[in-house]
């Protein structure tokens, strides 16, 4: 059977809201219409997706599996739509996404020089959307920092760089030449622990019992503001820490923390010759780059 993308979008809305009324409002359709569409979708798939009663709505095992697969599929469909529209209207475009601390000027100029009629743009991303920009078609390629959800993506490793801990300027560890992870066990990590799995997996961290919710930080600037206010620490790639310098925070190398891997990512179904060409440009640039304090190239 062919999967109906409209019904798939309806399913994702209900799965994320776990409430048919809120999902219907989000989709701007009537709730009875949404309920009928979901029942029809379950019939087509021959699987129950939700367990629902008057009080609650919950995903079944089949529903959990469909939600995991639906998001990249919908993102791929949206990316395809964007690429077709760009091809149909005027001057071709090519967008390069990059994480803080990564400079892509040389690569952007190289692809623009090879294609004078190409409109080349750049967009800065964050930990939260560095992969989504290519899945959704908002960028053709994205410089990403691992780990990321790699579903629906192709990756080309480019270089690695050390990671450092960023602390308030007067912190007890601020004057040290380097620290070990064990010395940070009592510190409060402000960012998503999945971004620093080595710290996340340290045993017996006292901060696990901290009742304070972790703040939602969407930019490096926000992270540094919280660090400076003695709210906790962050782990950053060296290039990011050195790019965002400020007098009230310091960064210290962490000896037993592995280097951060930087890759170029693009949608695995994007067959554009421009993407293949840019991948080779990025790989050559990474290989030829000098070994500087901001990045350690492979």
């Amino acid at each position: 059977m062919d999967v109906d993308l409209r019904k798939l979008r309806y399913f994702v809305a209900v799965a994320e809201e776990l409430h048919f009324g809120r999902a219907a409002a989000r989709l701007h359709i009537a709730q009875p219409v949404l309920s009928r569409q979901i029942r029809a979708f379950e019939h087509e798939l021959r699987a129950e997706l939700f367990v629902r009663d008057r009080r609650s709505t919950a995903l079944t095992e089949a529903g959990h599996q469909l939600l995991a697969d639906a998001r990249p599929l919908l993102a791929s469909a949206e990316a395809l739509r964007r690429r077709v529209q760009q091809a149909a209207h005027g001057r071709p475009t090519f967008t390069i996404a990059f994480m803080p601390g990564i400079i892509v000027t040389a690569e952007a100029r190289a692809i623009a020089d090879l294609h004078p009629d190409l409109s080349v743009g750049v967009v800065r991303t964050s930990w939260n959307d560095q992969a989504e920009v290519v899945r959704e078609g908002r960028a053709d390629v994205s410089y990403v920092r691992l780990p990321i959800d790699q579903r629906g993506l192709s990756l080309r490793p480019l270089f690695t760089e050390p990671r450092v801990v960023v602390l308030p300027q007067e912190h007890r560890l601020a004057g040290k030449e380097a620290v070990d992870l064990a010395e940070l066990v009592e510190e409060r990590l402000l960012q998503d622990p999945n971004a620093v799995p080595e710290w996340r997996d340290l045993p017996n961290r006292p901060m696990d019992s901290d009742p304070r919710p972790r703040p939602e930080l969407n930019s490096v600037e926000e992270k540094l503001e919280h660090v400076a206010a003695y709210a906790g620490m962050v782990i950053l790639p060296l290039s990011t820490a050195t790019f965002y310098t400020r007098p009230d925070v310091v960064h210290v190398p962490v000896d037993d923390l592995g280097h951060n891997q930087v890759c170029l990512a693009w949608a695995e179904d994007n067959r554009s010759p421009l993407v293949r060409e840019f991948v080779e440009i990025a790989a050559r640039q990474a290989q030829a780059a000098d070994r500087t304090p901001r990045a350690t190239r492979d």
Side-chain angles (χ1 to χ4, degrees):
M1 58 162 282
D2 294 330
V3 176
D4 186 330
L5 292 182
R6 178 172 54 86
K7 289 193 181 85
L8 194 60
R9 291 188 184 93
Y10 288 174
F11 161 77
V12 169
V14 178
E16 291 179 344
E17 299 290 344
L18 291 179
H19 190 283
F20 275 77
R22 289 195 298 269
R26 168 175 154 182
L27 294 165
H28 305 291
I29 62 174
Q31 182 174 335
V33 173
L34 177 59
S35 297
R36 287 196 299 270
Q37 291 294 320
I38 293 298
R39 284 196 297 269
F41 199 30
E42 290 177 319
H43 179 74
E44 293 169 7
L45 294 174
R46 298 180 183 178
E48 186 179 30
L49 302 175
F50 298 100
V51 178
R52 44 200 183 268
D53 55 33
R54 292 183 178 180
R55 295 184 181 180
S56 64
T57 299
L59 284 165
T60 64
E61 286 300 317
H64 280 293
Q65 182 61 57
L66 182 59
L67 181 60
D69 293 333
R71 285 169 170 150
L73 180 60
L74 290 175
S76 178
E78 176 61 18
L80 183 148
R81 183 190 67 81
R82 288 174 184 264
R83 292 197 296 269
V84 169
Q85 287 187 340
Q86 289 172 357
H89 299 93
R91 188 178 181 185
T93 63
F94 191 85
T95 302
I96 306 160
F98 63 95
M99 285 283 281
I102 298 175
I103 297 173
V104 298
T105 307
E107 294 88 338
R109 285 177 174 172
I111 193 74
D113 289 343
L114 289 171
H115 301 277
D117 62 333
L118 187 66
S119 177
V120 178
V122 296
V123 57
R124 193 185 78 160
T125 61
S126 69
W127 165 257
N128 296 324
D129 67 349
Q130 58 176 334
E132 293 307 312
V133 290
V134 288
R135 288 199 185 97
E136 297 172 359
R138 290 183 282 133
D140 296 276
V141 295
S142 180
Y143 284 79
V144 299
R145 297 188 185 277
L146 300 186
I148 61 169
D149 179 357
Q150 299 184 22
R151 288 177 299 177
L153 302 178
S154 295
L155 297 181
R156 177 72 171 266
L158 296 177
F159 59 89
T160 65
E161 60 173 312
R163 287 180 288 171
V164 298
V165 59
V166 183
L167 302 164
Q169 193 271 336
E170 297 180 357
H171 191 276
R172 60 185 175 84
L173 299 174
K176 300 195 68 171
E177 292 186 4
V179 297
D180 295 326
L181 275 175
E183 297 179 79
L184 303 173
V185 70
E186 296 186 1
E187 302 298 324
R188 183 187 187 213
L189 185 70
L190 293 171
Q191 66 213 99
D192 184 346
N194 290 325
V196 193
E198 300 93 335
W199 185 90
R200 179 198 61 199
D201 297 335
L202 283 174
N204 303 320
R205 295 193 315 272
M207 297 312 296
D208 286 343
S209 60
D210 193 319
R212 294 174 296 175
R214 181 175 291 105
E216 184 175 340
L217 305 176
N218 297 312
S219 69
V220 177
E221 293 90 343
E222 290 174 337
K223 292 174 183 175
L224 297 183
E225 283 291 337
H226 279 72
V227 170
Y230 288 81
M233 68 170 186
V234 295
I235 303 291
L236 295 178
L238 178 59
S239 64
T240 307
T242 55
F243 187 83
Y244 291 89
T245 56
R246 49 186 292 170
D248 49 2
V249 301
V250 298
H251 62 266
V252 181
V254 185
D255 281 340
D256 54 348
L257 191 60
H259 284 200
N260 176 237
Q261 175 71 63
V262 175
C263 297
L264 190 70
W266 64 98
E268 63 183 11
D269 61 349
N270 188 346
R271 310 300 182 193
S272 167
L274 287 172
V275 169
R276 294 195 298 270
E277 192 171 11
F278 188 86
V279 170
E280 295 309 313
I281 290 172
R284 288 196 301 270
Q285 182 66 22
Q287 188 174 15
D290 293 333
R291 292 181 179 272
T292 68
R294 76 177 185 88
T296 301
R297 305 284 175 163
D298 284 337

